[in-house]
Amino acid sequence: MTLSTSATADHIYANGLRNQWHAVVPSRFVAPGGMRKVTALGEQWLLFRRSDGTLAMLADRCPHRGAPLSLGKHLGDRVACWYHGVEVETDGTVSSVPGLPGCNLEGKKLVTSLPVREVSGAILAWFGDEEHPEPAELTLPDPLTDPEADAFLCYAEWDVPWRFAMENLLDPMHGAFLHHDSHTMFDGDTTAKFRIRETDRGYFFEKTDQRGVNFDWVELCRTGVDWVDLSIPYPPSAGPGGPFGIVGMACPVDAGRTGVFFWRYRRVQGWQRDAWRFLYKTLIEKRHWDVLEQDRVMLEAMPADADQRENLYQHDLGVVRLRRLYRTAAEAQSA
Amino acid sequence: MTDPVNGAWPYLDVHQSRTHEPTPYEYKLAATLEEVFTHEGHELADVVRGLNARQVHAADGAPWTEESFRAEMNRLGA
């Protein structure tokens, strides 16, 4: 059984919130006709893609003796467990028990199958617990559906708790320090006042006295999937089209690991779009990566109890609010 | 680089948007384009003039026109 309702609030807070969508891995990680084992929310899953591209996500556990289905064989529209050949369809139904035809496992839906969607190159899955198997409405990040915007996905795997990765995004002030030696965040004041501004889908955490200079604001959006939106100016060398934005998501892999998804997007069209894409692939992607590595190095070096022994100040209001929100949700889900 | 299909944790790949390692021509064009954007501006006419003034021409050696530049960006930015 997966994602039980009996998990403690501490476990959920550490391993990821249920009853919402999460990005899992990039779509290209699962080839047509292929399978991939993934860990998410502290549990083992199998991504399974038919040759026509249809994707399914199953608990990586044979309903017979618990062997990992990911060690099994891809049979086109189902997977056969390597241990005893038990065959499981993409909706989790046992279609065949070769060792004992007619066995009462056949025809039963015994494996958890998560609803999946593919969005701008990423696989999103609904992680409902036992009481919430049906997915809630998912509203996709508007920069990823805006025909005026163009995006590249960057995915990376970090040895940090998912909360630290999200908190880092709700902490814009680190841009002026950690990323001072970067191609985009060298400018602007190193002092600031911040405010929280509520929206109907989350909240903004923003500087009150500077905009469009550094990483000056961030919006947390809870639209069935949790994501952030932010904007960072490009230097003139990046050509026409103004700042680039980031849609960020974090996949809680387990208590100590996170998959981070950053879509760098720009509202740019025609030759300007083409020139940005060319520069991005040739020169800019590497510079963006170097900035992301600064985050990874810092966050991976943070002690595990970093959030237990702190002395916070006004710049941390966005983080404090995020924690309260997630902690409350974890407690509600463990009830 | 980690194999994206079977790769072990962690996946850390600098280049995820490329289909190939850029050619010397592509590197030179990109670097010059950045210089032109910085010093000449962002208008198409300025960009074409800036590239030609620096003798950084199309792959066939011909000076850029607005039309040939658009077509090449479209090819390289696909």
Side-chain angles (χ1 to χ4, degrees):
Chain A
M1 210 45 97
T2 55
L3 298 179
S4 76
T5 50
S6 60
T8 64
D10 283 345
H11 180 86
I12 293 169
Y13 192 56
N15 288 275
L17 297 181
R18 290 87 182 283
N19 304 327
Q20 66 179 61
W21 294 82
H22 290 285
V24 184
V25 286
S27 289
R28 63 191 166 87
F29 279 24
V30 194
M35 303 197 297
R36 187 187 176 97
K37 174 191 179 74
V38 296
T39 308
L41 278 66
E43 301 193 336
Q44 307 301 312
W45 305 92
L46 172 68
L47 286 164
F48 179 98
R49 196 190 289 280
R50 286 161 47 159
S51 56
D52 68 0
T54 311
L55 183 73
M57 188 161 174
L58 293 167
D60 190 18
R61 189 181 170 94
C62 179
H64 170 219
R65 296 273 313 279
L69 292 171
S70 57
L71 288 177
K73 272 189 198 153
H74 191 300
L75 296 182
D77 59 351
R78 59 203 194 285
V79 57
C81 180
W82 187 22
Y83 205 4
H84 300 92
V86 172
E87 295 178 12
V88 180
E89 295 180 21
T90 51
D91 70 349
T93 303
V94 175
S95 56
S96 169
V97 178
L100 186 62
C103 155
N104 67 2
L105 297 183
E106 290 181 353
K108 286 192 181 143
K109 193 172 178 304
L110 296 174
V111 180
T112 301
S113 171
L114 301 188
V116 288
R117 284 185 62 174
E118 293 188 74
V119 177
S120 294
I123 295 168
L124 269 58
W126 168 259
F127 289 82
D129 62 22
E130 290 155 334
E131 290 177 6
H132 304 85
E134 293 304 318
E137 188 181 345
L138 171 64
T139 303
L140 299 177
D142 31 284
L144 301 184
T145 57
D146 180 356
E148 302 290 309
D150 196 64
F152 288 100
L153 169 61
C154 172
Y155 169 73
E157 295 174 339
W158 292 354
D159 288 321
V160 304
W162 68 277
R163 310 183 315 280
F164 288 16
M166 290 301 292
E167 289 173 6
N168 184 57
L169 289 166
L170 268 296
D171 169 22
M173 201 61 203
H174 83 266
F177 295 92
L178 182 66
H179 303 311
H180 180 72
D181 296 321
S182 79
H183 67 127
T184 51
M185 285 183 267
F186 50 83
D187 212 357
D189 256 327
T190 51
T191 60
K193 282 210 166 66
F194 282 88
R195 70 174 169 198
I196 285 174
R197 181 158 55 90
E198 304 288 339
T199 69
D200 57 6
R201 60 185 187 180
Y203 64 93
F204 275 91
F205 188 58
E206 58 194 357
K207 291 178 189 166
T208 57
D209 39 12
Q210 174 179 294
R211 202 163 177 101
V213 182
N214 197 302
F215 171 15
D216 295 326
W217 61 269
V218 58
E219 183 187 5
L220 174 74
C221 307
R222 310 199 76 203
T223 61
V225 62
D226 282 8
W227 54 285
V228 300
D229 186 21
L230 58 93
S231 172
I232 296 173
Y234 264 137
S237 61
F244 77 100
I246 295 177
V247 167
M249 294 184 193
C251 175
V253 172
D254 54 29
R257 300 185 297 166
T258 303
V260 292
F261 295 75
F262 294 105
W263 286 267
R264 283 90 176 228
Y265 71 87
R266 204 175 189 196
R267 290 199 163 84
V268 65
Q269 298 282 294
W271 76 269
Q272 303 180 346
R273 165 190 177 274
D274 297 336
W276 175 58
R277 290 183 58 86
F278 169 53
L279 289 180
Y280 183 95
K281 291 191 277 186
T282 311
L283 299 174
I284 299 175
E285 184 174 45
K286 164 77 165 63
R287 295 178 201 144
H288 282 328
W289 180 262
D290 292 343
V291 178
L292 208 55
E293 281 290 276
Q294 292 169 340
D295 290 301
R296 185 177 69 83
V297 166
M298 178 55 69
L299 294 176
E300 289 189 349
M302 301 280 283
D305 67 347
D307 57 356
Q308 309 298 309
R309 298 163 62 188
E310 299 168 310
N311 294 284
L312 303 179
Y313 54 95
Q314 199 262 350
H315 294 174
D316 305 308
L317 289 175
V319 169
V320 169
R321 183 176 171 78
L322 186 75
R323 275 188 203 159
R324 193 182 307 137
L325 193 150
Y326 284 150
R327 188 74 211 178
T328 302
E331 280 165 13
Q333 291 180 7
S334 66
Chain B
M1 179 181 125
T2 322
D3 174 352
V5 177
N6 303 305
W9 184 276
Y11 176 83
L12 293 171
D13 185 6
V14 180
H15 290 293
Q16 301 179 29
S17 67
R18 287 180 180 173
T19 52
H20 64 278
E21 168 70 24
T23 64
Y25 157 73
E26 288 165 2
Y27 272 125
K28 185 172 183 188
L29 179 59
T32 312
L33 202 49
E34 287 197 327
E35 187 192 314
V36 169
F37 281 145
T38 302
H39 297 289
E40 315 288 334
H42 289 167
E43 296 299 323
L44 183 56
D46 298 330
V47 174
V48 167
R49 192 172 53 248
L51 287 174
N52 286 333
R54 286 165 178 78
Q55 304 279 310
V56 175
H57 292 144
D60 63 1
W64 295 104
T65 63
E66 292 191 9
E67 190 182 17
S68 70
F69 179 73
R70 276 178 194 272
E72 184 67 335
M73 284 302 108
N74 189 255
R75 185 180 76 84
L76 295 172

